[in-house]
Amino acid sequence: MIAQVIVDVAARQTDRVFDYLVPEGLEISIGSRVIVPFGNRKVQGFVVGFSEKSQFQGQLKDLLLVVDEMPPLTKELVALSADLAQQIFAYRISILKTMLPSVMRANYRKILVPVSDRAKAMPFFAGDVLDLSKISDPHLLKLVSQLLKNGDAEVEYLVEDKAKKKMTVLYTPLLSLEGYQELLTKVKKNAVQQQKLLTDLFENFAAYPKTREQLEGQKISLATLNSAVKKGWLGQKQVESYRKPAVLAKEKSQPKKLNDEQEAAYEAITQDVQERKSQTFLLEGVTGSGKTEVYLQTISEALKIGRTALMLVPEISLTPQMVAQVQARFGKEVAVLHSALSEGERYDEWRRIRRGQAKVVVGARSAVFAPLDNIGLIIIDEEHEGTYKQDKNPRYHARDVAIWRSRYHHCPLILGSATPSLGSRARAQKGLFKLITLKKRAKSQALPRVDLIDLKHVQFAGGQFDISVNLAEAIQKRLDRREQVILLLNRRGFANFMLCRNCGYVLKCPNCDLSLTMHKDTGVMQCHYCGHQEAIPTFCPNCHDRQIRFLGTGTQKVEEELGELFPAAKVLRMDVDTTRRKGSYEKILTAFGQGEADILLGTQMIAKGLDFPNVTLVGVINADTGLWLPDYNASEKTFELLTQVAGRAGRADKEGQVMIQTYNPDHYAIALSQKQDYELFYAKEMQVRRAGNYPPYFYTVLVTIASKNEQNAAREAFNIKRVLMAQLHQPTIILGPAPATVSRLKNQYLYQILVKYKKEDKLNALLHQLQDQAQEIKKYGLTVEIDTEPERIM
DNA sequence: AGCACGCCGACT
DNA sequence: GTCGGCGTGCTC
């Protein structure tokens, strides 16, 4: 039998199957993790198929080892990896590896082993092995090569991983119930521990076998257990135990009564769950409309018919409260996969899923690869979130993977959001997805009042032009009333663009209607779509005022200003810098929730899903920064952020207020977020997208050409563009090549080409071909990266 | 990606 | 003469 193996070598030339002979008697199947000889070393690999014959001309090698008892990958995941690799231009091995917990990643070591007696006697080998990767001393290296040459030592290649199964001891009764009863009468009166154990055995006989942890929890010592084993009272064996993260839910929650809107959604979805239809639903519901309850009840339905459920949430909202809600409903059947788990816990949760011991999986992006069998429902909450697209290789979008899996399992997929992504909403419009809207808020609270503050015509409270007098007054009012304030600093726009403080004008590209980005290094304003460039202005091209600024504000600066304006107020700052340490995110939120601070100042991460009853004012320091980013979806992201953050005000009985500071109060993304009117925004933004030939009217692919040599990168970029131009047809639009925003990264020069198309059947094959060709000419050190439907084109 | 093989410059 | 620089090509 021949096994087809994908080896753990991420390179263009090795991105295919290699055939190996399977030695007799090995338990192996599709999805098995194996160790194989590859060249003169050993690597990890995954079995993706079997065959009788091989096309390979040379002598096939035997595979060396099957690593796991149970294949870590299912047939489904192996098939998915093949399709996905093709779709997203990633190496298949990279995808297979992202499907698994990180502890299963191979760790390769080269060690030096003495073979001659002479070498074995050398103090140099003190002990037994010598890790070659840890030797850097030139003297030692010299010695090593000498030993190798003389045949005194050999290099051995090791493949290891960090996957450690936690073991425990399971104690099984060896005697009958009567036997223990009898022993209990015989045992000495002062042998308290033994009596305790025997009593438990007698009284709770049915609860056995018990693990060591269980018995230790009952205050029965290890010594007692050991002697019980010796006396033949108990049998013991080693078993795996799971590092189960704490179950957060205290008691089981019961399904809540649904209102008529929720009921209709529930009915529509459960029907397809029962009929096993791979229908995608777009569940559009305002904040507080009770989407979660619909999720929970439809999951119940999937479980009821003997299937499993997968639920994705953004990492940021995978909070303990969220997890607790699901656990409260489904108890021990829930497995949670998120980054707050230790690697070991994650591995254990993953194994529980793989073994079919968890029926409901809740997790962030990568949980879309959870090895669940027989999926009956998939849910993606906050489907508009950009984090569902991985921004490094392999660049997969969890939504696309979920759609693939829903087809495979014939099960429905729910995409839920208050502000659906334009693409999903448009698909719903076309009938590809089924649209379900929830308009009522479950507790029928009023939406908070939203005020726009036009920064062009306002006084600033401090000297930093960050906080207007209006906002400052509103903050002071809350401080006086001992209520809390959330301030959002929109950092999405840290790329420098030009804004006129007098008229609000933003310098834009004449061809693309997108803002130009300042390149300090080259001293120009440049468009990253088409490559247009012009000089950095010294006055506003619109009103000729000299009060122009290049924007990019920091949380620290605002924090200082708050300190000046409200010296008595306690401010908590939350951004990438203060939340880098594990657990600090929760810590800050808990502190704020307990009223330890008056103001929470933060970036995007405070906009989502937080619920603090004492917060009555939400202020947005700068609504504009994301607006003029050189991305076609800048308006969408801005609207989304403002709408989400507005939902943070007045969550309980106190009335909430939202103040949005902006230089562009008339821009539709901002004006409509004041009204919290998604549908109107959708209609308007679709017009803009249509006029600009952007998604969802066009598909996009971003091709990035990288080389250490700028000329080679540029030449290849133009080369690729030429081929694309020749092969693609109307109405396809090819923009660029243009240097990337960060035109040089790790000493690699980057050029980008954006392809916008409606239908190009050959495009995928063509791009694969171009990518191969470019990278085969290795002398230039060229790499071509392809990002389908990029989130950011910068 | 590694690793070996191979062909040219500066050293004991 | 040899050590070692990194260009080239291969891995079932």
Side-chain angles (χ1 to χ4, degrees), chain A residues 52-108:
Chain A
E52 292 295 315
K53 280 202 289 260
S54 172
Q55 305 279 47
F56 184 58
Q57 297 296 313
Q59 180 60 48
L60 293 183
K61 291 179 179 172
D62 279 10
L63 53 83
L64 301 171
L65 184 74
V66 178
V67 184
D68 320 83
E69 257 171 69
M70 185 181 211
L73 295 160
T74 60
K75 279 204 174 85
E76 181 207 356
L77 292 173
V78 170
L80 169 59
S81 73
D83 284 2
L84 197 56
Q86 192 64 25
Q87 272 174 35
I88 66 171
F89 302 87
Y91 300 132
R92 193 153 173 209
I93 189 64
S94 322
I95 295 172
L96 291 169
K97 281 163 86 175
T98 43
M99 288 175 164
L100 298 177
S102 57
V103 288
M104 289 177 86
R105 276 196 201 149
N107 185 20
Y108 299 103

Side-chain angles (χ1 to χ4, degrees), chain A residues 531-588:
Chain A
H532 166 87
Q533 51 176 249
E534 54 190 76
I536 297 176
T538 50
F539 55 86
C540 174
N542 185 43
C543 71
H544 303 282
D545 198 283
R546 291 199 170 264
Q547 281 198 63
I548 56 171
R549 283 180 76 192
F550 296 92
L551 283 195
T553 309
T555 37
Q556 286 182 33
K557 202 179 111 203
V558 178
E559 189 182 21
E560 273 171 36
E561 190 168 358
L562 286 170
E564 285 166 29
L565 293 172
F566 313 104
K570 181 130 198 313
V571 181
L572 274 174
R573 179 162 65 93
M574 189 150 144
D575 55 25
V576 271
D577 300 320
T578 60
T579 54
R580 199 166 287 135
R581 289 230 323 277
K582 209 170 151 176
S584 49
Y585 174 78
E586 284 78 14
K587 227 173 175 173
I588 295 175

Side-chain angles (χ1 to χ4, degrees), chain A residues 422-524:
Chain A
L422 226 63
S424 294
R425 183 62 183 76
R427 274 180 195 109
Q429 190 85 48
K430 279 179 80 178
L432 272 82
F433 298 168
K434 253 185 213 161
L435 181 65
I436 302 176
T437 31
L438 305 178
K439 297 194 183 77
K440 295 180 199 159
R441 300 187 90 180
K443 291 174 201 157
S444 61
Q445 307 138 297
L447 286 165
R449 190 180 116 206
V450 182
D451 293 319
L452 296 183
I453 298 169
D454 186 349
L455 291 178
K456 295 189 303 255
H457 307 110
V458 86
Q459 291 279 87
F460 286 94
Q464 292 290 327
F465 305 109
D466 283 327
I467 296 168
S468 63
V469 288
N470 311 42
L471 181 57
E473 274 170 24
I475 294 172
Q476 189 59 56
K477 211 154 85 188
R478 298 312 180 306
L479 294 175
D480 294 343
R481 293 208 300 244
R482 308 221 136 261
E483 291 171 353
Q484 288 176 299
V485 179
I486 287 180
L487 291 180
L488 173 82
L489 184 82
N490 187 1
R491 276 276 293 279
R492 210 176 114 77
F494 65 88
N496 286 319
F497 63 95
M498 192 226 85
L499 173 86
C500 175
R501 291 245 312 113
N502 184 49
C503 70
Y505 178 83
V506 168
L507 186 60
K508 291 196 284 185
C509 174
N511 311 321
C512 301
D513 199 35
L514 288 162
S515 66
L516 296 179
T517 299
M518 184 173 72
H519 282 239
K520 266 193 185 144
D521 49 350
T522 48
V524 290

